[in-house]
Amino acid sequence: MSLQQQLDADKILHDLFANLKTESPSEDFTRRLMTRISPEFIHQESIEPFKISGRIWLAIFVSVVFFSLLFFTSDIPAFDFLNKYLDFRWLADFTISDRSALFFQKMVSSIEGIKLNYILIPFMALLGLIGIDRVINHKAGNTTFFTFL
């Protein structure tokens, strides 16, 4: 396209937009529209009180326990002053009864023959499928494959 043709096209577009009239609503447009809206569609916003769910309380509890254990079992010199005031000697004297120790030995010996990969890999795959199913059906609020969850 030559420069003259481009200038002619620009002039045509300029004239078109200069003569174009925009539509505007009538003076009573808002009043007529508001009379069409029925009162049943107008509702007051309800504010529900803030509630913390059981999952949040569980997460808070687990976090407090974890960080407490981390705090009290860490070997940071700044926490040495706690050792003067807290007595953890009872923990050193803690022993498991013979029957409990025998039970745990039998449980460990029964698990030793099983390869962990044979259990862990299918379990991880199942968790992955459940996670994918929940992500896909998040808006619907139900699951497609895992109806028991």
Side-chain angles (χ1 to χ4, degrees), residues 89-129:
R89 280 181 278 163
W90 64 270
L91 189 58
D93 297 334
F94 181 74
T95 58
I96 299 176
S97 69
D98 293 336
R99 294 182 73 193
S100 300
L102 185 63
F103 172 74
F104 285 123
Q105 285 176 353
K106 285 183 180 179
M107 290 229 356
V108 169
S109 66
S110 66
I111 294 174
E112 282 179 358
I114 301 172
K115 296 257 187 198
L116 188 60
N117 290 340
Y118 294 146
I119 297 171
L120 191 61
I121 291 174
F123 183 70
M124 298 276 289
L126 180 66
L127 286 178
L129 288 174

Side-chain angles (χ1 to χ4, degrees), residues 20-26:
L20 188 67
K21 294 182 179 178
T22 58
E23 294 182 16
S24 61
S26 62

